[in-house]
Amino acid sequence: MKILSYNIHHCSQEKIDKVLSYDADINVIPELSNPTHIHIPDSYEKVWQGVYEKKGLGVFWKKSINCVPPKWWNEKHKYIRPLIVDNSWLLIAAWPTVHDGDNKVYPQILLEALHEYESYIQQYPTLITGDLNCFIGQSGATQQTGRLEDIVDFLAKYSIVSLYHSRTGETFGKETRCTYHHMFVEHSQFFLDYTFTDIPVFAYELQQKWDKMSDHHPQMIVI
């Protein structure tokens, strides 16, 4: 099974067609437009959540995949979307997002959702993927509000680790690669996109070449 995780930055049909060309079984797409504004083939099922019609978190998957939104999903976690796959494992699509009036930081938003879903993370093999908007030394992130370090430590309790870091041996905050180019500036680089899992993975690729379709790089996970 192939899972594509890709923040496509301001959705368009051209970008959706590019995503479809990867032929992933499950697609986790931050910044997806409401599916009423784009065409996703009828051979896919989908869920979407967003405050703005043109910018939300979408997940779409081939109908051959048994992927079910659980009844215990709490809508207050607008951009942290759990799905049960093949009745056997938990996918959490994540795009922690701050809106006007919010006084939280991105790691805090994600941590609150992870704590709420902790019993299910304990129950199921779990894969968490997306644009987490988190990095070491993030402005406003503290031990009180939550930091990337706290997310890593929370998941480590359940042997859930970052695929990139476990496979490269690199440490958080000292990555030799990036996943995001701020304001599309090639050398303004951050590592924001992650996949954490305790599921055996056949292959993981953080696409190295940046094609500027988005300010992010896609991740492909094969399980």
Side-chain angles (χ1 to χ4, degrees):
M1 180 186 295
K2 293 198 300 184
I3 302 159
L4 176 67
S5 179
Y6 194 9
N7 182 327
I8 57 174
H9 182 78
H10 295 314
C11 185
S12 67
Q13 188 60 49
E14 180 182 6
K15 292 182 180 184
I16 294 304
D17 293 342
K18 173 71 172 179
V19 166
L20 291 166
S21 75
Y22 284 94
D23 194 33
D25 298 292
I26 301 174
N27 300 272
V28 175
I29 311 296
E31 300 205 30
L32 184 72
S33 292
N34 186 314
T36 59
H37 298 292
I38 53 175
H39 174 68
I40 296 173
D42 292 338
S43 54
Y44 290 84
E45 300 281 1
K46 50 192 171 290
V47 293
W48 182 89
Q49 179 71 24
V51 174
Y52 310 111
E53 284 288 294
K54 295 291 188 178
K55 197 172 184 180
L57 172 64
V59 184
F60 56 93
W61 59 92
K62 293 179 179 178
K63 287 185 175 178
S64 57
I65 305 298
N66 181 13
C67 198
V68 179
K71 293 180 180 179
W72 45 260
W73 172 58
N74 190 333
E75 193 172 351
K76 76 177 183 181
H77 305 299
K78 294 183 177 63
Y79 299 102
I80 317 294
R81 190 70 192 243
L83 296 158
I84 305 297
V85 184
D86 290 339
N87 296 311
S88 61
W89 61 275
L90 172 62
L91 169 66
I92 298 180
W95 182 42
T97 303
V98 176
H99 292 290
D100 293 342
D102 286 349
N103 58 2
K104 297 178 181 179
V105 293
Y106 297 114
Q108 180 181 8
I109 293 169
L110 179 55
L111 273 168
E112 288 179 357
L114 293 177
H115 282 296
E116 175 154 344
Y117 300 141
E118 185 170 6
S119 62
Y120 302 102
I121 291 170
Q122 290 177 277
Q123 179 180 348
Y124 291 99
T126 298
L127 188 146
I128 302 163
T129 190
D131 170 10
L132 304 192
N133 276 319
C134 298
F135 59 93
I136 299 294
Q138 194 159 10
S139 176
T142 68
Q143 288 184 325
Q144 288 72 39
T145 62
R147 308 165 301 169
L148 175 60
E149 295 96 315
D150 300 312
I151 294 169
V152 173
D153 290 344
F154 171 86
L155 295 174
K157 292 190 302 182
Y158 304 109
S159 300
I160 297 173
V161 299
S162 163
L163 286 180
Y164 175 86
H165 296 85
S166 63
R167 290 186 167 228
T168 63
E170 296 177 6
T171 58
F172 289 90
K174 296 184 178 179
E175 296 88 358
T176 60
R177 301 268 300 278
C178 75
T179 73
Y180 171 66
H181 302 267
H182 184 58
M183 302 295 290
F184 280 88
V185 177
E186 186 165 359
H187 299 294
S188 182
Q189 300 181 353
F190 292 85
F191 201 104
L192 302 181
D193 303 77
Y194 304 81
T195 298
F196 288 89
T197 193
D198 60 344
I199 299 171
V201 170
F202 176 75
Y204 170 77
E205 180 187 6
L206 172 62
Q207 185 170 300
Q208 187 165 7
K209 185 181 178 185
W210 182 41
D211 64 9
K212 299 190 179 182
M213 179 180 99
S214 167
D215 44 6
H216 289 258
H217 293 246
Q219 303 175 83
M220 183 68 80
I221 308 103
V222 183
I223 63 173

